[in-house]
Amino acid sequence: MEHQRDRDDLDTVLGKALAVLRAFGPADSVLPLAELVRRTGLAKGTAHRVAGDLVHHRLLDRTEHGYRLSGGLFELGLRAAAERTLVELAMPFLQDLYERTHETVHLGVRQGGEVLYLTKIGGHRQARTPSRTGGRMPVHCTAIGKVLLAHADEEELTAVLSGPLERRTPRTVVAPGLLRRQLAKAVEAGVAYEYEESTQGLLCVAAPVLEPDGRTAVAAISVTGPVGRFRPEPHANTVRSAAAALGAVMAGRSRG
Amino acid sequence: MEHQRDRDDLDTVLGKALAVLRAFGPADSVLPLAELVRRTGLAKGTAHRVAGDLVHHRLLDRTEHGYRLSGGLFELGLRAAAERTLVELAMPFLQDLYERTHETVHLGVRQGGEVLYLTKIGGHRQARTPSRTGGRMPVHCTAIGKVLLAHADEEELTAVLSGPLERRTPRTVVAPGLLRRQLAKAVEAGVAYEYEESTQGLLCVAAPVLEPDGRTAVAAISVTGPVGRFRPEPHANTVRSAAAALGAVMAGRSRG
DNA sequence: CGACGGCGTTCCGCTCAGCGGTACGCTGTT
DNA sequence: AACAGCGTACCGCTGAGCGGAACGCCGTCG
């Protein structure tokens, strides 16, 4: 079905354009035309024209070495209302967290089986995390992911648990039963932890930002630090109350 | 010529799609179809289909009351390499500034005669600024704008100075001569100030992030606070050195 | 209450925008 | 000198996309 959609989408102009834009992964900065052709499966001539059109519409920049997602796209993305207000409202709380811990602070949402990081703030001495603003990570091996999954409906939960759980490090939890127990505990405690499950040397606490109903989670906040100088448990309370406060603000906002 | 482009662009699928996306201003969260029709000038049927396609491609969300820019677009925008690395590298310095001042901190770039704000960080008690992440302001009445304009080439400078300078507040500098003198001083001092020129009750200092050549500015950093508790001058040094340090980091990055 | 205006949606036949195979010129590499 | 990979340019066929028209559904008038 995914195949199906990919193929169908390439039959429309818009589909082709998006295929080109989405050919850029979180790590790619500039891609030559040939690479775009390879990744999208478009005909060379077509890719050339589409890319040209995208440049004309300021979604791509032309550089010496190929194409690059442009500032116009960045700006457009920043107009997305839901995500932006979330980030804006969260900022003061994230600042507080950073100031107290001086460790890396994340704000993320769940998209299916992955976490999308909306913001990441940190100082000069921040831990070397693989996460990036706009990047993704699997839900099952990150604190944010676990706490969001814990508040998802049963259906989505089992979908993730029954899928394969990729082993990222020796400590990644890949046993569905164990993970399920951890999630139950996370709901109870109001926080989830990660102990080097996505990346060696990284520890993390996360708390959910809940809707007024107290069940569904719209986002999650986390603090991440390196093994050695950082222990997540002492920050559980801080993170939890920051997330709760943000939830309250958002509830007030959507009502008023 | 702008007219020309608008009309031409509506003759292509991509143009229509972009017209719809760009119909969303920084302040709009959800727009009904009829409004999209009005703003884009597309035929009703066409707008309907294009919007539908955009939903299918996850650039728009369909809601009860109309369409909304979606998280997919947000994510895509965050992939724009140049802007994102700028934000990422800047973050630690912005944090430092915030921690020292506890006032609103901005990172912005210039796009023609306007400033585009890439990031805005602040705490709970931040001044009520009209700026928003992803938002724009005229160059001539903001500290960031002035310091960026001051480092632009003569051509661009005169273009802005010869255009009409919109009066935003009683203190907005609308005299080209005076503005030019301020800019000259800003280059010399390494910072520009704003005294309630864009918004009543707001003061601001900004410093440029320069290329290794020491001339062209790629971005600018500012600290903004409310008249009364905040004086910009004492922070000139801090802002200037933060911007300089960021410039150095970026220079090192692009070389290595 | 009936007429009306604005809304979102659907339909359909015409046409030209877009398609992609083909070919070319330019590099570096073998 | 032959080659391989790149970006670019050309061009005739065709179906994707176009937009005018018509429809059903509300509210809001007179």
Side-chain angles (χ1 to χ4, degrees):
Chain A
M1 178 185 167
E2 282 302 316
H3 274 206
Q4 184 64 13
R5 228 194 81 208
D6 286 2
R7 186 154 266 139
D8 285 356
D9 286 359
L10 285 188
D11 279 16
T12 147
V13 198
L14 215 57
K16 286 182 240 266
L18 276 188
V20 169
L21 292 181
R22 296 211 221 263
F24 289 81
D28 307 305
S29 85
V30 38
L31 298 179
L33 181 60
E35 185 59 27
L36 290 178
V37 169
R38 238 169 274 128
R39 297 196 187 189
T40 57
L42 291 172
K44 214 204 302 189
T46 307
H48 183 252
R49 182 172 35 79
V50 170
D53 290 352
L54 287 172
V55 169
H56 174 251
H57 288 287
R58 350 219 75 176
L59 296 188
L60 286 184
D61 283 339
R62 187 87 229 249
T63 78
E64 229 182 334
H65 306 289
Y67 298 90
R68 190 179 60 182
L69 295 180
S70 89
L73 191 60
F74 189 83
E75 185 183 354
L76 212 49
L78 253 20
R79 298 258 162 94
E83 285 70 17
R84 189 179 52 165
T85 35
L86 177 58
V87 171
E88 285 180 348
L89 292 179
M91 195 53 82
F93 299 102
L94 303 181
Q95 290 304 320
D96 289 351
L97 277 179
Y98 172 73
E99 215 161 338
R100 276 190 217 180
T101 62
H102 285 100
E103 296 291 354
T104 306
V105 176
H106 284 115
L107 173 71
V109 296
R110 189 174 61 85
Q111 289 193 355
E114 292 185 308
V115 173
L116 172 63
Y117 293 103
L118 299 184
T119 307
K120 169 184 177 179
I121 69 181
H124 300 285
R125 308 244 41 170
Q126 65 187 259
R128 285 233 269 72
T129 57
S131 63
R132 299 190 65 178
T133 300
R136 294 163 166 277
M137 291 284 283
V139 271
H140 72 280
C141 63
T142 61
I144 287 199
K146 287 200 272 186
V147 85
L148 287 176
L149 192 56
H151 287 83
D153 21 281
E154 183 56 29
E155 198 182 344
E156 298 214 61
L157 174 61
T158 50
V160 172
L161 286 177
S162 58
L165 301 174
E166 188 200 350
R167 155 151 273 135
R168 286 294 190 102
T169 74
R171 304 195 59 181
T172 306
V173 177
V174 293
L178 176 54
L179 186 52
R180 180 160 232 139
R181 255 168 283 138
Q182 282 196 4
L183 297 184
K185 210 182 286 178
V187 173
E188 217 176 306
V191 290
Y193 294 99
E194 175 202 337
Y195 299 99
E196 304 188 76
E197 294 156 42
S198 69
T199 314
Q200 298 237 16
L202 240 54
L203 307 176
C204 191
V205 219
V209 179
L210 299 172
E211 299 255 347
D213 67 6
R215 293 162 157 260
T216 33
V218 299
I221 294 177
S222 77
V223 175
T224 306
V227 64
R229 72 156 179 252
F230 181 75
R231 287 265 79 203
E233 299 85 359
H235 299 107
N237 270 316
T238 324
V239 175
R240 190 169 31 216
S241 40
L246 174 55
V249 170
M250 292 191 56
R253 181 53 89 85
S254 57
R255 243 186 269 114
Chain B
M1 180 189 164
E2 282 301 317
H3 276 203
Q4 185 63 14
R5 227 194 82 209
D6 287 1
R7 186 154 265 140
D8 285 355
D9 285 359
L10 286 188
D11 280 15
T12 146
V13 199
L14 215 58
K16 286 181 240 265
L18 262 282
V20 168
L21 293 180
R22 296 210 222 263
F24 289 82
D28 307 303
S29 86
V30 38
L31 297 178
L33 181 61
E35 185 58 28
L36 290 178
V37 169
R38 237 169 276 129
R39 298 195 187 190
T40 57
L42 292 173
K44 215 204 300 192
T46 307
H48 183 254
R49 181 174 34 82
V50 170
D53 290 352
L54 287 172
V55 168
H56 173 251
H57 288 289
R58 349 219 76 171
L59 296 187
L60 287 184
D61 283 338
R62 188 85 229 247
T63 77
E64 229 182 335
H65 306 289
Y67 299 90
R68 191 179 59 185
L69 296 179
S70 89
L73 191 60
F74 189 83
E75 185 183 355
L76 210 50
L78 254 20
R79 298 257 162 93
E83 285 72 16
R84 188 177 54 164
T85 34
L86 177 58
V87 171
E88 285 180 348
L89 293 180
M91 195 54 82
F93 298 102
L94 303 181
Q95 290 302 321
D96 289 351
L97 276 180
Y98 173 73
E99 215 161 338
R100 277 192 215 177
T101 63
H102 285 99
E103 297 290 354
T104 305
V105 176
H106 284 116
L107 174 71
V109 296
R110 189 174 62 86
Q111 291 196 352
E114 291 185 308
V115 173
L116 171 64
Y117 292 103
L118 299 185
T119 308
K120 169 185 176 178
I121 70 180
H124 301 286
R125 311 243 40 171
Q126 64 187 255
R128 286 231 268 70
T129 57
S131 61
R132 299 189 64 180
T133 301
R136 295 163 165 277
M137 292 284 283
V139 271
H140 72 282
C141 63
T142 61
I144 288 198
K146 287 199 274 187
V147 85
L148 287 175
L149 192 57
H151 288 83
D153 22 281
E154 184 57 29
E155 199 180 345
E156 298 214 61
L157 175 62
T158 49
V160 172
L161 285 177
S162 58
L165 301 174
E166 189 200 349
R167 156 150 271 135
R168 287 293 189 104
T169 75
R171 304 194 61 180
T172 306
V173 177
V174 293
L178 176 53
L179 186 53
R180 180 160 231 139
R181 255 168 284 138
Q182 281 196 4
L183 297 184
K185 211 183 285 179
V187 173
E188 217 175 306
V191 289
Y193 295 98
E194 175 203 339
Y195 298 99
E196 305 188 77
E197 293 156 43
S198 69
T199 314
Q200 297 237 12
L202 240 54
L203 307 176
C204 190
V205 217
V209 179
L210 299 172
E211 299 256 347
D213 66 7
R215 292 161 158 259
T216 33
V218 299
I221 294 177
S222 78
V223 175
T224 307
V227 64
R229 72 156 181 251
F230 181 75
R231 285 266 81 203
E233 298 84 0
H235 300 106
N237 269 317
T238 324
V239 175
R240 190 171 29 218
S241 40
L246 174 54
V249 169
M250 293 191 55
R253 181 55 89 84
S254 57
R255 241 185 271 115

